[in-house]
Each structure stands twice: as structure tokens, then as C-alpha cells.
Amino acid sequence: MFGFENKKFGVEIEFAGAWLDQVEATMQRELQGTGVVVAREGYNHNVRSYWKIVTDSSVSERISYRDSNAIGGEIVSPVLQGGAGLAQLEQICNALNAHPDVKINIKCGLHLHLSWSNCTTRQIKNIVKRYATFEDGFDSMMPRSRRNSNWCANISRETSFLRDVAGHTGSLREMSRCGGGNRYRKVNLVPLSRYGSIEFRQHSGTTDFEKIKNWVLLMSDFCDASQIAATSNGSAANIVDYRRQGSARAFAEIREIFENNGFECKPSGRNWKIYNASGELVLTVSGQDMFRFYAQGACHPTAARRTRQAGPTFTTEFSQLVESLTGNASDTWMRGIRPEVAAYVAARVTSLSTTSQRAAA
């Protein structure tokens, strides 16, 4: 899955203000001779080989189902890939913006689908876990209307969904039913069953190519980084909060972090032994040390129910231990993000923060 060129992506661009038949005519005129095809049709979930303009119940007004027309709707891409896909996306944005009535309002959103060959449930688990861990970071680059809404709900506080994802043992297709199969989350797994893609719904509505491009690249890099991220640092959360009972199933979160990095953590009397991928013993730690890896007593040996339930954070000592064994630096939100995209995100966060401060003044 590593690398943007190896991923397929699709976007759904919601907009308001303009009649869809007029948007279709404008875009077809602007794209004449480019080979990029745009067509208006009735609302559907079918993947097309062309860009389709359809109504959307969350943004469309004065809908006429008979002729698939309305004021406002969405334009949905075919399957795109790599730089060629971004180039086509830029053409579409320019053509869409050529219509003077097209605008964005608070109801509009931008939805991104990503997929890659040989996708595994472990990869999806890692992505969901890290998105929940760093949800505050994603929120900081979004307007307030996209930080928690009916169309893109928080996931970091939705413990049932996170528990379902972490404990899922079925197929990738079956993973779409985690958390009741609700698609209106910031990270939507429902498309896994039909398209084999994961959907990111949090971005605010926009027809600006630079914003869309940077979101596509950000999430592509984030997915890559989610496969190599090793530890939680300081206040960062490890989202797994299910329970493993008995000595052979204890310390689920610590064990999972080691397992994600190619190690195995086995109980041995009152100690725990950590083996590398070659089966060599690399470290022995006591049960008391395992408890101390959880920050602020989040996992306590004298708890009434000795189930070793997950705590929200780990100590710096634990982060340093995993880093020393794996060579991986402590995880951060911007880990693995290409510099130009990280710079864009930083500027956007600053801009939104300044706007919020002015509004509060």
C-alpha cells in the first residue's frame, strides 16, 4: 500500500447554489477536447468511468427526481490513481468553478475514498486507531461544523465502534459492519463491503483544488504511516480498550503494540518475555513493570477485577523502550507526512485558529 501512486482514490464534492443541468452544461463546455467526461444522472451508488453529477439530500434544494435536477448536489469521481488522477481532479475543479453560481455552504462536505491492493484488516485497524488517537489534530484543521456532526461523527469517544474494530476477527468485507454499520463517521468502513475502500468524511466542503489535493495526499501519507507507527507518546492514546482475561491474555494494549512491530510478548511466571521476529529473546520485564507502563495508574495491579483494562495513555518510559527495540520514533500526528503537505496543514491550522480568536473577541 505504500506510496501515493500505488493507491486508488475517489472524491465526492458537494456544492450548493447552482442548478445541476446548468453545471453540467458549463463543465462539458469547459472540458471539451480534454477527454474528461461529465454527465448528470439520478442519484445512485454505482461507480462510473466518468464524473457524475447527482443530487444529494443533505445539500440539494428543489429536487426534481423526474429529470435529476436540483439546486446544488455533488459531483462524484470515477476511480482515480496517482498523479494522473490529481491532474484530472484539477481539471474538474476548474470546470466546476467556471459556473458563477456554484458555492459552498456549511452543509457541504468533501468525501475521500482510498483503496489499495492486498488491503488487510490489520491495516484498517491501525488507521482507525491512529485517526482516533490524533482526532484533535484533524479537528484543528477543520471548521467547527466538521469537528462533530450528524454527517461526520467523532470516533475517539465512540468506544463501541473502536472496540468492534479492534476485536474484529472476520474478513475485510465483514469489517464494514463494525459499530453497527453506521457510515456517518469521520472514518467510514461501510464502503469496504462494496468497494473495498475506506472513506474519510471529515473535510469541509470545497471546490478548491489545492485544498482537495492536500487532503488526498495527507490521508494517503497518514495511511502509510499507520502501518509503521510504533508507540504512543506522552499524552497520545492507544485506542484499544477491550479486555483480555487471564495471564495469557493480559496487557492487551502493550502486547498489541509489540505485535504490530513484529515482536511477541509471552507470560513466563511473574515475568513477561519479549521475542523478536527470529524467535530470539530480547527482553524480560516483570509484571509490575508492565503495570507501570500505563500512565497515572490507568492499569493497576490491585484492581478488584484483574482484567488489565486499557488505560488511555502510556508512560514515556514505555515509548522509549519500544523505540529502542524497534528503531521507530514515537508516534505523532504528522509522522510520515510529506513536508509540503505538513506545511499546508500548519498554515491551515493557524488560519482557523486566528479566525476563531477573532470571532471570540
Side-chain angles (χ1 to χ4, degrees):
M1 70 170 289
F2 292 102
F4 176 61
E5 291 295 328
N6 295 323
K7 295 189 190 69
K8 296 177 181 178
F9 70 96
V11 294
E12 302 165 12
I13 305 171
E14 296 177 347
F15 62 90
W19 282 99
L20 299 188
D21 61 341
Q22 296 177 14
V23 171
E24 177 188 36
T26 297
M27 295 187 71
Q28 288 177 343
R29 182 181 67 249
E30 294 291 321
L31 293 167
Q32 190 173 3
T34 65
V36 180
V37 178
V38 174
R40 177 171 51 95
E41 57 188 51
Y43 182 81
N44 63 82
H45 291 283
N46 298 322
V47 177
R48 303 299 194 193
S49 60
Y50 52 86
W51 292 77
K52 62 181 181 182
I53 300 173
V54 295
T55 59
D56 185 282
S57 61
S58 63
V59 297
S60 294
E61 299 175 346
R62 298 173 64 181
I63 299 176
S64 171
Y65 293 104
R66 184 177 60 183
D67 56 2
S68 304
N69 205 8
I71 299 176
E74 66 177 350
I75 181 164
V76 182
S77 76
V79 177
L80 305 172
Q81 186 165 356
L86 288 179
Q88 191 173 134
L89 174 60
E90 184 173 19
Q91 291 177 300
I92 285 292
C93 289
N94 290 338
L96 179 59
N97 289 321
H99 193 291
D101 293 336
V102 168
K103 64 181 181 180
I104 298 297
N105 61 31
I106 198 171
K107 296 180 180 179
C108 298
L110 171 71
H111 304 154
L112 167 67
H113 289 254
L114 285 176
S115 64
W116 52 90
S117 299
N118 302 315
C119 179
T120 66
T121 57
R122 169 57 60 189
Q123 291 171 344
I124 299 300
K125 287 182 180 185
N126 289 349
I127 291 166
V128 171
K129 184 191 303 183
R130 287 189 76 238
Y131 201 106
T133 298
F134 300 116
E135 190 170 61
D136 286 347
F138 285 107
D139 286 351
S140 70
M141 67 173 291
M142 299 295 166
R144 291 181 180 178
S145 62
R146 304 301 292 186
R147 294 176 186 178
N148 186 29
S149 79
N150 293 334
W151 312 112
C152 57
N154 283 335
I155 64 170
S156 62
R157 293 191 292 273
E158 194 176 347
T159 56
S160 61
F161 170 62
L162 297 175
R163 188 180 297 112
D164 281 356
V165 171
H168 181 71
T169 58
S171 68
L172 190 69
R173 183 183 183 90
E174 292 168 337
M175 206 171 193
S176 65
R177 297 197 292 267
C178 287
N182 177 11
R183 67 189 180 98
Y184 295 118
R185 297 186 177 99
K186 292 175 182 177
V187 181
N188 174 23
L189 303 185
V190 173
L192 287 171
S193 64
R194 182 166 185 171
Y195 309 114
S197 64
I198 183 171
E199 182 187 26
F200 300 97
R201 297 177 57 87
Q202 188 174 5
H203 202 288
S204 53
T206 183
T207 59
D208 185 307
F209 169 69
E210 287 300 318
K211 291 182 179 179
I212 301 175
K213 178 191 74 173
N214 278 288
W215 181 242
V216 172
L217 294 175
L218 171 64
M219 297 319 304
S220 173
D221 289 351
F222 183 84
C223 289
D224 284 350
S226 295
Q227 308 317 308
I228 60 175
T231 68
S232 299
N233 66 359
S235 61
N238 185 291
I239 295 304
V240 181
D241 67 351
Y242 54 86
R243 301 177 179 186
R244 294 183 178 180
Q245 298 187 10
S247 62
R249 305 285 287 172
F251 304 111
E253 301 70 41
I254 291 174
R255 293 181 64 194
E256 184 167 359
I257 288 175
F258 280 120
E259 290 165 5
N260 286 348
N261 288 277
F263 291 82
E264 188 172 12
C265 191
K266 294 182 177 180
S268 177
R270 296 187 177 183
N271 296 321
W272 289 79
K273 294 186 176 182
I274 300 168
Y275 299 86
N276 63 18
S278 300
E280 301 169 326
L281 178 65
V282 295
L283 184 68
T284 299
V285 296
S286 70
Q288 291 297 318
D289 286 335
M290 294 285 276
F291 279 114
R292 282 194 288 267
F293 288 149
Y294 292 92
Q296 300 177 352
C299 185
H300 199 275
T302 60
R305 296 186 64 190
R306 301 174 64 85
T307 54
R308 281 74 165 178
Q309 186 176 4
T313 60
F314 297 106
T315 62
T316 302
E317 177 188 4
F318 178 65
S319 295
Q320 292 172 344
L321 170 63
V322 177
E323 183 177 341
S324 69
L325 291 176
T326 64
N328 291 327
S330 297
D331 199 9
T332 64
W333 178 39
M334 285 290 103
R335 182 180 183 183
I337 306 303
R338 62 196 71 198
E340 64 272 22
V341 175
Y344 164 83
V345 171
R348 183 169 169 84
V349 170
T350 299
S351 175
L352 283 169
S353 175
T354 302
T355 302
S356 296
Q357 289 173 3
R358 287 174 179 169

